[in-house]
Amino acid sequence: MGPETQDLVTGRLEASGTDPVSLTRISWLREARFGLFIHWGLYSMPARHEWVKSRERLPDEHYNRYFEHFNPDLFNPAAWAEEASNAGMKYVVITTKHHEGFCLWDSALTDYKATNTPAGRDLLREIIEAFRRAGLRVGLYNSLIDWHHPEFPIDEFHPQRDEPGARKERDMRKYSSYLHGQVRELLSSYGPIDYLFFDFSYPDRAYGGKGRDAWRSEDLLDLVRELQPTTIVNDRLDLPDADVRTPEQYQPVSPMSVRGVPVFWEACQTMNGSWGYDRDNLDWKPADLLVRMLIDGVSKGGNLLLNVGPTARGELEPRAVSLLRSIGVWTHPHGRAIYGTGPSQLEPPSDCRYTQRGDKLYLSVFAWPFRHLHLPGLADRVDYAQMLHDGSEVPMSVIDSGQAAQNTTMGALDPGTLTLEMPIRRPEVLVPVIELFLRPETASI
């Protein structure tokens, strides 16, 4: 892609002096736009949210029942990868270890791992290999927090925070060495890792906050760069710079910036408010909302990392599968409006979003209008318009801006407005998209 067709965010990132090495690292992620987040661990067994150990202050003696009975006999990561690929996702981020401290891989630094459960094997390796075979990039989530490790200091999030005498002195240096050692294992044992998602720092908490000093974040980042220089690292190490910012459970209202400097970002979103399998949670987002979130993010220069929480037996639950398949029905014909696109400098009509790549402008229509859609600034700039899902023509006209509106005659439109003649019936797709072919000489104006 030449400079004349780069999207708006790339231009702003370059102009802001963003590290060119970081720009190279994130190039594939910006192209991909849509990924799958997977939260899976022992918390899938109580099935009451991934923070169940902290929320319910469960002692290790209680929580060990899940370790002793973890046996996902229906585990089939190839099926996970197939569902992700069919949904239109281009990469995966899998939890190697969440805050509970349980490791999906055969770590040499702990006994608290999948190989010591009835599962009896390295589950992370099988997941990585399955997604790679399906052609998806692989990212690893690794918690900075560990409620199982004996040297992790007890703080306001720790399950033992209310136990008498529990807040005894612990050696954070020993814990951070363990953390660094496990990151070294992950980056040395599974081939190229595309993305490393750390979670999370909380330096400003009133009691027991932890940030860059606790994790020795500078050294940890140096370790990542030494072992795998092309690995993308997110923004949760409490360091001033990162390859990607990760807003969680909200949609940014505009392209993101830090201290006035544009940054690349990725929204992390759940399907139902829980990251891990939560059996009784019925707060499922509808498929059309999830697609609108994807489009909205891309229109502001971001990605969508959409989460699933597999069951304790190792399957994606039917409600998640149904949503993924509905999204896939939409991405199959509409992918051109997502992959490799970004924001447009043009202002879209109300209840619409623009995404753009070069001389192709995509208009996603969130609220279907009656008969006409008016596009300011596009008169004499569009050669052709069509519905993206089926390639059917959308007629265009330019109405004299000096013409008065009366009775059945439109008028009084702003100069330079292009009017699209829309079908009365909304197309039966989750979000209709119109593809506009811009005249090349006007595409970057």
Side-chain angles (χ1 to χ4, degrees), residues 38-48 65-76 80 100 102 104 117-119 121 123 276-279 308-318:
I38 302 176
H39 277 65
W40 194 44
L42 298 183
Y43 45 81
S44 65
M45 300 181 69
R48 299 190 298 274
R65 70 182 65 184
Y66 308 129
F67 179 80
E68 293 165 357
H69 292 89
F70 184 67
N71 187 19
D73 58 317
L74 300 179
F75 173 60
N76 181 4
W80 298 4
E100 65 182 4
F102 174 72
L104 286 180
T117 69
R121 62 194 195 275
L123 299 172
Y277 177 55
D278 194 343
R279 183 190 62 204
V308 294
T311 70
R313 297 192 66 185
E315 288 190 307
L316 302 183
E317 61 172 309

Side-chain angles (χ1 to χ4, degrees), residues 207-356:
Y207 181 85
K210 297 176 179 66
R212 70 187 73 176
D213 293 336
W215 319 127
R216 290 189 282 137
S217 294
E218 291 88 350
D219 293 341
L220 185 55
L221 184 58
D222 287 345
L223 175 65
V224 175
R225 298 294 181 233
E226 171 196 338
L227 295 174
Q228 297 212 28
T230 62
T231 298
I232 294 168
V233 178
N234 71 338
D235 60 336
R236 302 193 178 192
L237 285 172
D238 186 34
L239 294 175
D241 298 312
D243 294 320
V244 55
R245 307 288 165 164
T246 54
E248 180 175 326
Q249 298 285 51
Y250 73 92
Q251 288 292 108
V253 297
S254 62
M256 291 193 74
S257 63
V258 175
R259 298 180 296 275
V261 177
V263 293
F264 178 64
W265 61 274
E266 169 189 71
C268 315
Q269 300 284 4
T270 59
M271 290 185 177
N272 67 350
S274 294
W275 298 97
Y277 177 55
D278 194 343
R279 183 190 62 204
D280 300 327
N281 184 339
L282 303 179
D283 195 19
W284 291 83
K285 300 176 180 71
D288 64 315
L289 174 58
L290 293 171
V291 168
R292 291 198 304 273
M293 290 162 62
L294 170 62
I295 297 167
D296 179 69
V298 176
S299 77
K300 297 179 173 76
N303 284 22
L304 176 62
L305 186 61
L306 183 62
N307 184 75
V308 294
T311 70
R313 297 192 66 185
E315 288 190 307
L316 302 183
E317 61 172 309
R319 292 169 292 191
V321 170
S322 177
L323 284 170
L324 290 174
R325 291 179 179 178
S326 294
I327 294 169
V329 170
W330 184 87
T331 58
H332 174 68
H334 294 98
R336 289 209 300 256
I338 298 297
Y339 309 123
T341 69
S344 172
Q345 299 181 59
L346 296 161
E347 185 71 25
S350 178
D351 296 320
C352 297
R353 301 291 187 275
Y354 277 141
T355 56
Q356 185 174 353

Side-chain angles (χ1 to χ4, degrees), residues 392-403:
S392 58
E393 182 181 10
V394 177
M396 307 180 296
S397 62
V398 177
I399 297 169
D400 182 359
S401 59
Q403 175 178 298

Side-chain angles (χ1 to χ4, degrees), residues 403-425:
Q403 175 178 298
Q406 55 180 320
N407 298 332
T408 59
T409 304
M410 285 189 297
L413 296 174
D414 291 335
T417 297
L418 178 71
T419 296
L420 302 181
E421 299 178 28
M422 308 290 282
I424 294 295
R425 288 186 62 87

